[in-house]
Amino acid sequence: MQTEILGNAKSVDKQGNVLIIKTDQAIARIWVYSPAVIRINVSRSFNEHDPSFAVIQTPSETINYTESAGEIAVITSEVKLLINKSPLRFNFYTAGGKVLSGDDPRFGINWQGDRVINYRKLFPDERFIGLGEKTGNLDRRGSHYVNWNTDAPLHDTRTDPLYKTFPFFIGLHSGLTYGLFFDNTYKSYFDFGATTNEQMSWFGADGGDMNYYFFGAQSVGEIIEDYTWLTGRMEMPPLWSLGYQQCRWSYMSAAEVLNIAENFRKEKIPADVLYCDIDYMEGFKIFTWNKETFAEPESFIAKLKAMNFRLVTIVDPGIKVEPGYQQYDEGLANNYFATYPNGENYTADVWPGSCHFPDFFREDVREWWGAAFSALTEPGVEGFWNDMNEPAAWGQNMPWLVKFGDKYMPQIRNAYGMQMAKATYEGTRKLLGNKRPFVLTRAAYSGTQRYSAIWTGDNSAYDAHMLLGQRLVNSLGITGMSLTGVDIGGFTGDPTPALMVRWNSLGVYTPMFRNHAMQGTKMREPWCWGKENEAVIKKDIELRYRLLPYIYSSFYQSHQTGLPTSRTLAINYTTDNNVFDVKYQNQFLFGDALMVAPVESTKFTEEVYLPAGTWFRFSTGEKFAGGRAVIADAPLTDLPVFVKASAIIPMQSLVQSTNEKGDGILEVNVWHGTAANSFVYYEDDGVSYDYEKGGYFKRRITYDPGKRLISFAETEGSFTSKYDRIKLVLHGFSIGEHGFKINGTIKVPAGSVLVFNNDTQIIEIAF
Ligand code: GLC
């Protein structure tokens, strides 16, 4: 094997919006997507028609460059790309000329066989965050990773690779930020100075082009905005999917599921979602119902709905080889399955036994798959759980000569799960009319946020796995995935009661709050842990429901800007070294206002780092100065959660499911602070796509301590809020004797609480 170098620029040419630089070995193409986003493709066999699964934007129509003897410069209002001609090397700078990132001057881009690699400069203080579902530390410096979507049961806190591929990272050094998305679905490799004696970082893939997008915005938040602008943002999720979800492999009959539903209502533990894992099917055949145990799906689901529950059912890609089974017959007749090069269908064993695998890369196959969901939507299913789509088969190692359309498995394996989720989303969206489907997938590639929520696969019931899960969720948030979750309680093994309680309390602040367990483990429902523990679990789930107006508004932010609901502190406190300290690296902001510190179930105090500013303990109101670590009480009844000063947190009265209206009062909690703040409150019907046509209720709530005003702006949108009154609750204020003035009229305060109509209001506070 030889190392083939990129060589020197031999010609420079602009064709329309692409700058083309040729060397003897390869062709480099450069596009400007936006002033902060530049794409570079270096290839020995570029094919314009190769689609990107991730990118939904097109490049700007023009590219401007200047050329001198040694250099080519592409300059936008935000980034400078200086290209060294001999040898061809790419270096990025801020608009003001500070070095952001670039090729290692010695090695740059090169090839070994089909492998393509980019060696890059490494700065002494450089940190790396991102790559999505990757074990290890928040700061990935000194680690290396492989992207190869893998069914990873029994994975531990170091296993790599796992189920998903997000080849996007953010580099931080010298107070600067940049992002890099390597859009290549081959098996790929990232090394953040792990194996180079700290001399350089590198990334590459087994094949394909050196095809990357460089992000030059100067904050982590803006880079995430730009990355999700490029690869898409999530739709508004169904509100019910943000409620509590109870799952298990497996509830064995409709009667058992109904019994669980009844128990939630009897125990008055709020919940919205129940799941059917693989056992609802006939012999694990996708799109069938077991005729004995789930004999009447329609009346079964109607009964669940009458109790305000939605049902999510699992689907795997493997179609059982069984003549007479509709999906098998149709798939066979229409050549919908992945094949060997000789045309034979590829066969492997999964739950149903021998299976064929739909070629989700083809539009006709996706349409066929999508339409088949009528077997589930007609009886009333609204959520679709896509599992085993790495794809998984027993033995794992799919032969390299399996073909999906004109591509071989090694070329696109990493996007298979995403294409299944896309097919599921598109099909069920059509079938459900104007209703939002809920899609959940295990395997994913960049851009999956457009179609689906994700969970982190088969985790385990021990503390370190709970903490790992939080890091995975936080990291997935950097890569555009906001609606994410872990199996609360741990899939494999049995949690101790303490771990179950603790993990459930963390679930309150997990974007998707789903309790799930493996077949054969002890039952996991909230009432399985003794009365005392049940009471704690219940109280925490109740808090989740009280917080839903805040959580839903946070998802609106994800929908609008791509910012995740669970945010590593590295997003807001990028230059504070403490947030990368392994002691504090699991801490995260949940939405704008709450900071959560995960704590192991065996510890009852925790050292928590409070970033600069003032913080209040959410549960007690106790005030803390930030910029330091504190020892926080952490009994199982009270996970350390802190509220940022000046926070605005809308909450609601307790309901048992998102279908209930509650008491019609939106409780707006404002926490004292000396800085002005505002919060965009967002509401819609929670189920339909009417919000796309203006059917929402949105207003900005502003707290201005200088003027002692809290104002509720005019509302936007045509939706009528389900709350007709607002209750303002002030925390940490000492209200003066003049109390509040509403639109100029003095009201005598009852403590720090005030209730008024849900019209435009200006509240003056004497404090
Ligand atoms: C896989 C999934 C798990 C599911 C099981 C049975 O292990 O990751 O969540 O319960 O398959 O379908």
Side-chain angles (χ1 to χ4, degrees), residues 151 153 163 247-250 277-279 314 316 351 385 387-388 390 394 442 455-458 487 491 514 516-519:
D151 178 13
Y163 307 86
C247 188
R248 177 176 184 78
W249 172 28
S250 244
D277 204 321
I278 47 177
D279 291 288
I314 199 168
D316 294 342
W351 303 120
W385 173 18
D387 190 21
M388 310 296 278
E390 292 70 33
W394 308 152
R442 192 171 73 177
W455 94 105
T456 60
D458 297 346
D487 291 349
F491 178 74
R514 185 179 79 144
H516 179 46
M518 185 168 154
Q519 188 187 46

Side-chain angles (χ1 to χ4, degrees), residues 247-466:
C247 188
R248 177 176 184 78
W249 172 28
S250 244
Y251 297 130
M252 295 305 288
S253 67
E256 188 179 357
V257 178
L258 287 168
N259 186 36
I260 301 283
E262 280 157 15
N263 247 321
F264 273 100
R265 297 305 175 231
K266 192 173 108 236
E267 300 291 319
K268 291 210 166 5
I269 298 171
D272 265 78
V273 189
L274 287 166
Y275 279 70
C276 282
D277 204 321
I278 47 177
D279 291 288
Y280 76 93
M281 295 179 253
E282 189 74 60
F284 306 134
K285 282 178 282 181
I286 312 306
F287 307 120
T288 66
W289 293 89
N290 186 300
K291 289 189 194 60
E292 277 152 36
T293 47
F294 289 85
E296 291 169 354
E298 204 170 327
S299 75
F300 159 53
I301 297 168
K303 284 180 197 149
L304 285 177
K305 284 200 171 150
M307 289 186 271
N308 285 333
F309 275 99
R310 317 268 170 160
L311 185 68
V312 178
T313 52
I314 199 168
V315 291
D316 294 342
I319 297 290
K320 185 177 171 75
V321 174
E322 186 183 282
Y325 161 40
Q326 187 184 342
Q327 270 65 41
Y328 171 76
D329 290 345
E330 290 177 4
L332 199 67
N334 296 296
N335 299 320
Y336 285 157
F337 300 128
T339 58
Y340 285 113
N342 65 0
E344 261 174 63
N345 287 321
Y346 167 64
T347 311
D349 263 34
V350 208
W351 303 120
S354 288
C355 288
H356 293 329
F357 295 82
D359 179 356
F360 292 115
F361 294 96
R362 275 167 53 189
E363 198 173 338
D364 55 342
V365 178
R366 287 198 299 271
E367 272 173 21
W368 164 72
W369 173 264
F373 279 92
S374 59
L376 302 174
T377 55
E378 274 168 21
V381 180
E382 289 174 57
F384 313 93
W385 173 18
N386 291 209
D387 190 21
M388 310 296 278
N389 52 358
E390 292 70 33
W394 308 152
Q396 301 289 355
N397 211 3
M398 187 179 270
W400 290 6
L401 40 59
V402 173
K403 286 187 88 177
F404 296 94
D406 62 349
K407 297 266 190 310
Y408 286 99
M409 189 276 291
Q411 298 175 277
I412 46 175
R413 174 185 180 88
N414 286 338
Y416 185 81
M418 176 198 199
Q419 295 309 102
M420 177 184 177
K422 175 179 159 107
T424 304
Y425 161 76
E426 284 170 352
T428 56
R429 180 159 179 180
K430 257 188 229 156
L431 289 167
L432 290 176
N434 193 30
K435 255 192 236 167
R436 302 174 204 168
F438 170 67
V439 180
L440 177 64
T441 180
R442 192 171 73 177
Y445 182 73
S446 290
T448 299
Q449 66 272 14
R450 305 198 294 271
Y451 312 116
S452 184
I454 51 178
W455 94 105
T456 60
D458 297 346
N459 62 355
S460 294
Y462 56 91
D463 279 291
H465 234 291
M466 174 178 70

